[in-house]
Amino acid sequence: MSQHEFAEYVEQVFRYHNQIVNELIERSAMGDNEESDELAKEEAHMLEACASLNEFVSQSMAGLDTNFRAKMQLVDAVPECEAATRRVEDLLP
């Protein structure tokens, strides 16, 4: 995967993750708080798995310089975030 392709993949996963987080927020705002234990567990795992991606994008959007180490962590973090997000999406009714 080229650097440009990876950057597009990072953006795609970030947007997908945020879409699912927004769905969770909307469900909560509508009073649909009946979350299964499995969904709650997977949601917590997703938030942890996606933390470095969210931090990286936030720093990037704020115009802060992201170091090489942070960029290299994305190689493992982005696929893990995508997989965790899919597991949460699969558990949504």
Side-chain angles (χ1 to χ4, degrees), residues 52-85:
S52 60
L53 172 60
N54 288 325
E55 182 179 341
F56 178 84
V57 171
S58 293
Q59 289 177 352
S60 181
M61 290 177 72
L64 300 174
D65 187 32
T66 51
N67 63 35
F68 180 74
R69 183 173 179 258
K71 290 177 184 174
M72 290 307 298
Q73 288 177 332
L74 292 179
V75 172
D76 293 327
V78 174
E80 184 179 339
C81 174
E82 181 181 26
T85 303

PDB file of all heavy atoms in Angstrom, residues 52-85:
ATOM      1  N   SER A  52      -5.624   5.939  19.572  1.00  0.00           N
ATOM      2  CA  SER A  52      -4.436   6.513  18.921  1.00  0.00           C
ATOM      3  C   SER A  52      -4.793   7.121  17.567  1.00  0.00           C
ATOM      4  O   SER A  52      -4.236   8.147  17.181  1.00  0.00           O
ATOM      5  CB  SER A  52      -3.316   5.483  18.791  1.00  0.00           C
ATOM      6  OG  SER A  52      -3.734   4.389  18.026  1.00  0.00           O
ATOM      7  N   LEU A  53      -5.728   6.516  16.854  1.00  0.00           N
ATOM      8  CA  LEU A  53      -6.177   7.085  15.580  1.00  0.00           C
ATOM      9  C   LEU A  53      -6.855   8.429  15.825  1.00  0.00           C
ATOM     10  O   LEU A  53      -6.563   9.417  15.150  1.00  0.00           O
ATOM     11  CB  LEU A  53      -7.141   6.133  14.864  1.00  0.00           C
ATOM     12  CG  LEU A  53      -7.843   6.679  13.624  1.00  0.00           C
ATOM     13  CD1 LEU A  53      -6.851   7.091  12.545  1.00  0.00           C
ATOM     14  CD2 LEU A  53      -8.826   5.660  13.088  1.00  0.00           C
ATOM     15  N   ASN A  54      -7.758   8.480  16.799  1.00  0.00           N
ATOM     16  CA  ASN A  54      -8.449   9.726  17.110  1.00  0.00           C
ATOM     17  C   ASN A  54      -7.473  10.809  17.551  1.00  0.00           C
ATOM     18  O   ASN A  54      -7.605  11.968  17.157  1.00  0.00           O
ATOM     19  CB  ASN A  54      -9.527   9.495  18.172  1.00  0.00           C
ATOM     20  CG  ASN A  54     -10.700   8.735  17.615  1.00  0.00           C
ATOM     21  OD1 ASN A  54     -11.081   8.891  16.471  1.00  0.00           O
ATOM     22  ND2 ASN A  54     -11.288   7.888  18.446  1.00  0.00           N
ATOM     23  N   GLU A  55      -6.498  10.443  18.355  1.00  0.00           N
ATOM     24  CA  GLU A  55      -5.495  11.404  18.821  1.00  0.00           C
ATOM     25  C   GLU A  55      -4.673  11.926  17.651  1.00  0.00           C
ATOM     26  O   GLU A  55      -4.432  13.121  17.528  1.00  0.00           O
ATOM     27  CB  GLU A  55      -4.583  10.758  19.859  1.00  0.00           C
ATOM     28  CG  GLU A  55      -3.553  11.704  20.423  1.00  0.00           C
ATOM     29  CD  GLU A  55      -2.675  11.052  21.471  1.00  0.00           C
ATOM     30  OE1 GLU A  55      -3.061  10.007  22.018  1.00  0.00           O
ATOM     31  OE2 GLU A  55      -1.597  11.601  21.742  1.00  0.00           O
ATOM     32  N   PHE A  56      -4.257  11.027  16.776  1.00  0.00           N
ATOM     33  CA  PHE A  56      -3.460  11.413  15.615  1.00  0.00           C
ATOM     34  C   PHE A  56      -4.235  12.391  14.735  1.00  0.00           C
ATOM     35  O   PHE A  56      -3.714  13.426  14.328  1.00  0.00           O
ATOM     36  CB  PHE A  56      -3.057  10.175  14.810  1.00  0.00           C
ATOM     37  CG  PHE A  56      -2.282  10.502  13.571  1.00  0.00           C
ATOM     38  CD1 PHE A  56      -0.910  10.698  13.628  1.00  0.00           C
ATOM     39  CD2 PHE A  56      -2.914  10.635  12.340  1.00  0.00           C
ATOM     40  CE1 PHE A  56      -0.196  11.009  12.486  1.00  0.00           C
ATOM     41  CE2 PHE A  56      -2.204  10.954  11.196  1.00  0.00           C
ATOM     42  CZ  PHE A  56      -0.840  11.137  11.268  1.00  0.00           C
ATOM     43  N   VAL A  57      -5.494  12.062  14.441  1.00  0.00           N
ATOM     44  CA  VAL A  57      -6.298  12.928  13.570  1.00  0.00           C
ATOM     45  C   VAL A  57      -6.547  14.274  14.244  1.00  0.00           C
ATOM     46  O   VAL A  57      -6.474  15.314  13.586  1.00  0.00           O
ATOM     47  CB  VAL A  57      -7.621  12.231  13.178  1.00  0.00           C
ATOM     48  CG1 VAL A  57      -8.550  13.187  12.459  1.00  0.00           C
ATOM     49  CG2 VAL A  57      -7.329  11.021  12.294  1.00  0.00           C
ATOM     50  N   SER A  58      -6.809  14.270  15.531  1.00  0.00           N
ATOM     51  CA  SER A  58      -7.031  15.531  16.258  1.00  0.00           C
ATOM     52  C   SER A  58      -5.799  16.425  16.186  1.00  0.00           C
ATOM     53  O   SER A  58      -5.910  17.624  15.935  1.00  0.00           O
ATOM     54  CB  SER A  58      -7.379  15.263  17.715  1.00  0.00           C
ATOM     55  OG  SER A  58      -8.618  14.629  17.812  1.00  0.00           O
ATOM     56  N   GLN A  59      -4.634  15.852  16.402  1.00  0.00           N
ATOM     57  CA  GLN A  59      -3.389  16.620  16.324  1.00  0.00           C
ATOM     58  C   GLN A  59      -3.158  17.138  14.916  1.00  0.00           C
ATOM     59  O   GLN A  59      -2.765  18.289  14.720  1.00  0.00           O
ATOM     60  CB  GLN A  59      -2.208  15.775  16.774  1.00  0.00           C
ATOM     61  CG  GLN A  59      -2.173  15.499  18.243  1.00  0.00           C
ATOM     62  CD  GLN A  59      -1.013  14.591  18.633  1.00  0.00           C
ATOM     63  OE1 GLN A  59      -0.307  14.040  17.794  1.00  0.00           O
ATOM     64  NE2 GLN A  59      -0.832  14.421  19.935  1.00  0.00           N
ATOM     65  N   SER A  60      -3.425  16.293  13.960  1.00  0.00           N
ATOM     66  CA  SER A  60      -3.238  16.680  12.565  1.00  0.00           C
ATOM     67  C   SER A  60      -4.182  17.818  12.179  1.00  0.00           C
ATOM     68  O   SER A  60      -3.777  18.783  11.524  1.00  0.00           O
ATOM     69  CB  SER A  60      -3.465  15.460  11.666  1.00  0.00           C
ATOM     70  OG  SER A  60      -3.270  15.786  10.328  1.00  0.00           O
ATOM     71  N   MET A  61      -5.440  17.715  12.590  1.00  0.00           N
ATOM     72  CA  MET A  61      -6.426  18.745  12.263  1.00  0.00           C
ATOM     73  C   MET A  61      -6.120  20.062  12.983  1.00  0.00           C
ATOM     74  O   MET A  61      -6.469  21.135  12.486  1.00  0.00           O
ATOM     75  CB  MET A  61      -7.835  18.264  12.598  1.00  0.00           C
ATOM     76  CG  MET A  61      -8.308  17.157  11.671  1.00  0.00           C
ATOM     77  SD  MET A  61      -9.934  16.531  12.101  1.00  0.00           S
ATOM     78  CE  MET A  61     -10.945  17.918  11.596  1.00  0.00           C
ATOM     79  N   ALA A  62      -5.473  19.984  14.137  1.00  0.00           N
ATOM     80  CA  ALA A  62      -5.112  21.183  14.885  1.00  0.00           C
ATOM     81  C   ALA A  62      -3.838  21.823  14.341  1.00  0.00           C
ATOM     82  O   ALA A  62      -3.398  22.857  14.835  1.00  0.00           O
ATOM     83  CB  ALA A  62      -4.934  20.848  16.361  1.00  0.00           C
ATOM     84  N   GLY A  63      -3.257  21.184  13.338  1.00  0.00           N
ATOM     85  CA  GLY A  63      -2.050  21.720  12.734  1.00  0.00           C
ATOM     86  C   GLY A  63      -0.787  21.397  13.505  1.00  0.00           C
ATOM     87  O   GLY A  63       0.267  21.961  13.229  1.00  0.00           O
ATOM     88  N   LEU A  64      -0.903  20.497  14.465  1.00  0.00           N
ATOM     89  CA  LEU A  64       0.269  20.097  15.236  1.00  0.00           C
ATOM     90  C   LEU A  64       1.074  19.077  14.449  1.00  0.00           C
ATOM     91  O   LEU A  64       0.517  18.252  13.728  1.00  0.00           O
ATOM     92  CB  LEU A  64      -0.155  19.504  16.579  1.00  0.00           C
ATOM     93  CG  LEU A  64      -0.961  20.423  17.485  1.00  0.00           C
ATOM     94  CD1 LEU A  64      -1.450  19.666  18.709  1.00  0.00           C
ATOM     95  CD2 LEU A  64      -0.130  21.627  17.887  1.00  0.00           C
ATOM     96  N   ASP A  65       2.363  19.127  14.604  1.00  0.00           N
ATOM     97  CA  ASP A  65       3.238  18.194  13.911  1.00  0.00           C
ATOM     98  C   ASP A  65       3.125  16.826  14.569  1.00  0.00           C
ATOM     99  O   ASP A  65       3.240  16.696  15.786  1.00  0.00           O
ATOM    100  CB  ASP A  65       4.686  18.680  13.962  1.00  0.00           C
ATOM    101  CG  ASP A  65       5.604  17.842  13.107  1.00  0.00           C
ATOM    102  OD1 ASP A  65       5.151  17.325  12.076  1.00  0.00           O
ATOM    103  OD2 ASP A  65       6.788  17.712  13.470  1.00  0.00           O
ATOM    104  N   THR A  66       2.852  15.827  13.782  1.00  0.00           N
ATOM    105  CA  THR A  66       2.773  14.463  14.291  1.00  0.00           C
ATOM    106  C   THR A  66       4.120  13.794  14.051  1.00  0.00           C
ATOM    107  O   THR A  66       4.657  13.848  12.955  1.00  0.00           O
ATOM    108  CB  THR A  66       1.652  13.670  13.605  1.00  0.00           C
ATOM    109  OG1 THR A  66       1.791  13.784  12.193  1.00  0.00           O
ATOM    110  CG2 THR A  66       0.300  14.219  14.007  1.00  0.00           C
ATOM    111  N   ASN A  67       4.645  13.163  15.083  1.00  0.00           N
ATOM    112  CA  ASN A  67       5.969  12.580  14.964  1.00  0.00           C
ATOM    113  C   ASN A  67       5.935  11.245  14.221  1.00  0.00           C
ATOM    114  O   ASN A  67       4.882  10.644  14.022  1.00  0.00           O
ATOM    115  CB  ASN A  67       6.653  12.453  16.333  1.00  0.00           C
ATOM    116  CG  ASN A  67       5.916  11.517  17.264  1.00  0.00           C
ATOM    117  OD1 ASN A  67       5.350  10.519  16.837  1.00  0.00           O
ATOM    118  ND2 ASN A  67       5.929  11.825  18.549  1.00  0.00           N
ATOM    119  N   PHE A  68       7.085  10.796  13.836  1.00  0.00           N
ATOM    120  CA  PHE A  68       7.222   9.556  13.071  1.00  0.00           C
ATOM    121  C   PHE A  68       6.687   8.363  13.848  1.00  0.00           C
ATOM    122  O   PHE A  68       6.020   7.495  13.283  1.00  0.00           O
ATOM    123  CB  PHE A  68       8.697   9.342  12.698  1.00  0.00           C
ATOM    124  CG  PHE A  68       8.931   8.100  11.904  1.00  0.00           C
ATOM    125  CD1 PHE A  68       8.563   8.038  10.569  1.00  0.00           C
ATOM    126  CD2 PHE A  68       9.500   6.984  12.490  1.00  0.00           C
ATOM    127  CE1 PHE A  68       8.770   6.888   9.833  1.00  0.00           C
ATOM    128  CE2 PHE A  68       9.703   5.825  11.763  1.00  0.00           C
ATOM    129  CZ  PHE A  68       9.343   5.785  10.425  1.00  0.00           C
ATOM    130  N   ARG A  69       6.951   8.324  15.152  1.00  0.00           N
ATOM    131  CA  ARG A  69       6.497   7.211  15.986  1.00  0.00           C
ATOM    132  C   ARG A  69       4.971   7.105  15.972  1.00  0.00           C
ATOM    133  O   ARG A  69       4.414   6.012  15.853  1.00  0.00           O
ATOM    134  CB  ARG A  69       7.010   7.379  17.407  1.00  0.00           C
ATOM    135  CG  ARG A  69       6.663   6.240  18.326  1.00  0.00           C
ATOM    136  CD  ARG A  69       7.371   6.406  19.675  1.00  0.00           C
ATOM    137  NE  ARG A  69       7.005   5.332  20.553  1.00  0.00           N
ATOM    138  CZ  ARG A  69       6.123   5.444  21.542  1.00  0.00           C
ATOM    139  NH1 ARG A  69       5.539   6.602  21.780  1.00  0.00           N
ATOM    140  NH2 ARG A  69       5.830   4.411  22.293  1.00  0.00           N
ATOM    141  N   ALA A  70       4.295   8.251  16.073  1.00  0.00           N
ATOM    142  CA  ALA A  70       2.825   8.267  16.052  1.00  0.00           C
ATOM    143  C   ALA A  70       2.305   7.748  14.721  1.00  0.00           C
ATOM    144  O   ALA A  70       1.336   6.991  14.665  1.00  0.00           O
ATOM    145  CB  ALA A  70       2.305   9.672  16.321  1.00  0.00           C
ATOM    146  N   LYS A  71       2.962   8.131  13.643  1.00  0.00           N
ATOM    147  CA  LYS A  71       2.550   7.667  12.316  1.00  0.00           C
ATOM    148  C   LYS A  71       2.753   6.161  12.174  1.00  0.00           C
ATOM    149  O   LYS A  71       1.920   5.472  11.593  1.00  0.00           O
ATOM    150  CB  LYS A  71       3.323   8.411  11.234  1.00  0.00           C
ATOM    151  CG  LYS A  71       2.928   9.867  11.116  1.00  0.00           C
ATOM    152  CD  LYS A  71       3.765  10.586  10.092  1.00  0.00           C
ATOM    153  CE  LYS A  71       3.409  12.056  10.061  1.00  0.00           C
ATOM    154  NZ  LYS A  71       4.283  12.827   9.179  1.00  0.00           N
ATOM    155  N   MET A  72       3.836   5.661  12.718  1.00  0.00           N
ATOM    156  CA  MET A  72       4.112   4.228  12.622  1.00  0.00           C
ATOM    157  C   MET A  72       3.127   3.408  13.449  1.00  0.00           C
ATOM    158  O   MET A  72       2.793   2.287  13.087  1.00  0.00           O
ATOM    159  CB  MET A  72       5.557   3.926  13.037  1.00  0.00           C
ATOM    160  CG  MET A  72       6.585   4.435  12.053  1.00  0.00           C
ATOM    161  SD  MET A  72       6.313   3.882  10.342  1.00  0.00           S
ATOM    162  CE  MET A  72       6.472   2.127  10.519  1.00  0.00           C
ATOM    163  N   GLN A  73       2.638   3.953  14.550  1.00  0.00           N
ATOM    164  CA  GLN A  73       1.657   3.247  15.371  1.00  0.00           C
ATOM    165  C   GLN A  73       0.353   3.047  14.609  1.00  0.00           C
ATOM    166  O   GLN A  73      -0.386   2.105  14.891  1.00  0.00           O
ATOM    167  CB  GLN A  73       1.398   4.006  16.668  1.00  0.00           C
ATOM    168  CG  GLN A  73       2.543   3.927  17.640  1.00  0.00           C
ATOM    169  CD  GLN A  73       2.280   4.750  18.894  1.00  0.00           C
ATOM    170  OE1 GLN A  73       1.554   5.726  18.868  1.00  0.00           O
ATOM    171  NE2 GLN A  73       2.907   4.348  19.984  1.00  0.00           N
ATOM    172  N   LEU A  74       0.085   3.917  13.649  1.00  0.00           N
ATOM    173  CA  LEU A  74      -1.144   3.793  12.874  1.00  0.00           C
ATOM    174  C   LEU A  74      -1.181   2.520  12.038  1.00  0.00           C
ATOM    175  O   LEU A  74      -2.258   2.012  11.741  1.00  0.00           O
ATOM    176  CB  LEU A  74      -1.332   5.010  11.962  1.00  0.00           C
ATOM    177  CG  LEU A  74      -1.625   6.332  12.645  1.00  0.00           C
ATOM    178  CD1 LEU A  74      -1.759   7.441  11.601  1.00  0.00           C
ATOM    179  CD2 LEU A  74      -2.879   6.247  13.479  1.00  0.00           C
ATOM    180  N   VAL A  75      -0.021   2.023  11.670  1.00  0.00           N
ATOM    181  CA  VAL A  75       0.039   0.818  10.842  1.00  0.00           C
ATOM    182  C   VAL A  75      -0.706  -0.331  11.513  1.00  0.00           C
ATOM    183  O   VAL A  75      -1.431  -1.084  10.854  1.00  0.00           O
ATOM    184  CB  VAL A  75       1.509   0.433  10.537  1.00  0.00           C
ATOM    185  CG1 VAL A  75       1.592  -0.916   9.849  1.00  0.00           C
ATOM    186  CG2 VAL A  75       2.161   1.519   9.690  1.00  0.00           C
ATOM    187  N   ASP A  76      -0.564  -0.463  12.816  1.00  0.00           N
ATOM    188  CA  ASP A  76      -1.277  -1.505  13.555  1.00  0.00           C
ATOM    189  C   ASP A  76      -2.617  -1.010  14.090  1.00  0.00           C
ATOM    190  O   ASP A  76      -3.594  -1.771  14.147  1.00  0.00           O
ATOM    191  CB  ASP A  76      -0.426  -2.001  14.734  1.00  0.00           C
ATOM    192  CG  ASP A  76       0.820  -2.737  14.280  1.00  0.00           C
ATOM    193  OD1 ASP A  76       0.762  -3.403  13.219  1.00  0.00           O
ATOM    194  OD2 ASP A  76       1.851  -2.639  14.963  1.00  0.00           O
ATOM    195  N   ALA A  77      -2.675   0.244  14.487  1.00  0.00           N
ATOM    196  CA  ALA A  77      -3.867   0.775  15.152  1.00  0.00           C
ATOM    197  C   ALA A  77      -5.069   0.901  14.218  1.00  0.00           C
ATOM    198  O   ALA A  77      -6.202   0.629  14.635  1.00  0.00           O
ATOM    199  CB  ALA A  77      -3.561   2.134  15.773  1.00  0.00           C
ATOM    200  N   VAL A  78      -4.862   1.292  12.983  1.00  0.00           N
ATOM    201  CA  VAL A  78      -5.992   1.528  12.080  1.00  0.00           C
ATOM    202  C   VAL A  78      -6.739   0.229  11.757  1.00  0.00           C
ATOM    203  O   VAL A  78      -7.964   0.196  11.881  1.00  0.00           O
ATOM    204  CB  VAL A  78      -5.545   2.293  10.814  1.00  0.00           C
ATOM    205  CG1 VAL A  78      -6.685   2.413   9.812  1.00  0.00           C
ATOM    206  CG2 VAL A  78      -5.042   3.680  11.195  1.00  0.00           C
ATOM    207  N   PRO A  79      -6.065  -0.836  11.369  1.00  0.00           N
ATOM    208  CA  PRO A  79      -6.810  -2.089  11.136  1.00  0.00           C
ATOM    209  C   PRO A  79      -7.506  -2.604  12.394  1.00  0.00           C
ATOM    210  O   PRO A  79      -8.624  -3.123  12.327  1.00  0.00           O
ATOM    211  CB  PRO A  79      -5.740  -3.077  10.657  1.00  0.00           C
ATOM    212  CG  PRO A  79      -4.628  -2.240  10.161  1.00  0.00           C
ATOM    213  CD  PRO A  79      -4.661  -0.989  10.978  1.00  0.00           C
ATOM    214  N   GLU A  80      -6.862  -2.432  13.559  1.00  0.00           N
ATOM    215  CA  GLU A  80      -7.473  -2.864  14.813  1.00  0.00           C
ATOM    216  C   GLU A  80      -8.718  -2.027  15.117  1.00  0.00           C
ATOM    217  O   GLU A  80      -9.746  -2.557  15.537  1.00  0.00           O
ATOM    218  CB  GLU A  80      -6.469  -2.748  15.962  1.00  0.00           C
ATOM    219  CG  GLU A  80      -7.002  -3.269  17.270  1.00  0.00           C
ATOM    220  CD  GLU A  80      -5.985  -3.168  18.410  1.00  0.00           C
ATOM    221  OE1 GLU A  80      -4.781  -3.073  18.147  1.00  0.00           O
ATOM    222  OE2 GLU A  80      -6.438  -3.183  19.560  1.00  0.00           O
ATOM    223  N   CYS A  81      -8.633  -0.730  14.867  1.00  0.00           N
ATOM    224  CA  CYS A  81      -9.780   0.160  15.066  1.00  0.00           C
ATOM    225  C   CYS A  81     -10.921  -0.236  14.128  1.00  0.00           C
ATOM    226  O   CYS A  81     -12.084  -0.307  14.543  1.00  0.00           O
ATOM    227  CB  CYS A  81      -9.364   1.610  14.815  1.00  0.00           C
ATOM    228  SG  CYS A  81     -10.721   2.801  14.867  1.00  0.00           S
ATOM    229  N   GLU A  82     -10.591  -0.505  12.885  1.00  0.00           N
ATOM    230  CA  GLU A  82     -11.619  -0.902  11.917  1.00  0.00           C
ATOM    231  C   GLU A  82     -12.315  -2.189  12.359  1.00  0.00           C
ATOM    232  O   GLU A  82     -13.542  -2.291  12.333  1.00  0.00           O
ATOM    233  CB  GLU A  82     -11.003  -1.084  10.531  1.00  0.00           C
ATOM    234  CG  GLU A  82     -12.020  -1.471   9.482  1.00  0.00           C
ATOM    235  CD  GLU A  82     -11.415  -1.676   8.109  1.00  0.00           C
ATOM    236  OE1 GLU A  82     -10.202  -2.002   8.007  1.00  0.00           O
ATOM    237  OE2 GLU A  82     -12.159  -1.511   7.132  1.00  0.00           O
ATOM    238  N   ALA A  83     -11.540  -3.182  12.782  1.00  0.00           N
ATOM    239  CA  ALA A  83     -12.114  -4.459  13.209  1.00  0.00           C
ATOM    240  C   ALA A  83     -12.993  -4.282  14.442  1.00  0.00           C
ATOM    241  O   ALA A  83     -14.092  -4.856  14.529  1.00  0.00           O
ATOM    242  CB  ALA A  83     -10.999  -5.464  13.487  1.00  0.00           C
ATOM    243  N   ALA A  84     -12.532  -3.490  15.401  1.00  0.00           N
ATOM    244  CA  ALA A  84     -13.310  -3.258  16.625  1.00  0.00           C
ATOM    245  C   ALA A  84     -14.604  -2.517  16.307  1.00  0.00           C
ATOM    246  O   ALA A  84     -15.657  -2.816  16.872  1.00  0.00           O
ATOM    247  CB  ALA A  84     -12.470  -2.476  17.629  1.00  0.00           C
ATOM    248  N   THR A  85     -14.532  -1.580  15.386  1.00  0.00           N
ATOM    249  CA  THR A  85     -15.719  -0.825  14.987  1.00  0.00           C
ATOM    250  C   THR A  85     -16.718  -1.737  14.293  1.00  0.00           C
ATOM    251  O   THR A  85     -17.932  -1.639  14.524  1.00  0.00           O
ATOM    252  CB  THR A  85     -15.323   0.366  14.091  1.00  0.00           C
ATOM    253  OG1 THR A  85     -14.388   1.191  14.804  1.00  0.00           O
ATOM    254  CG2 THR A  85     -16.533   1.197  13.716  1.00  0.00           C
TER     255      THR A  85
END
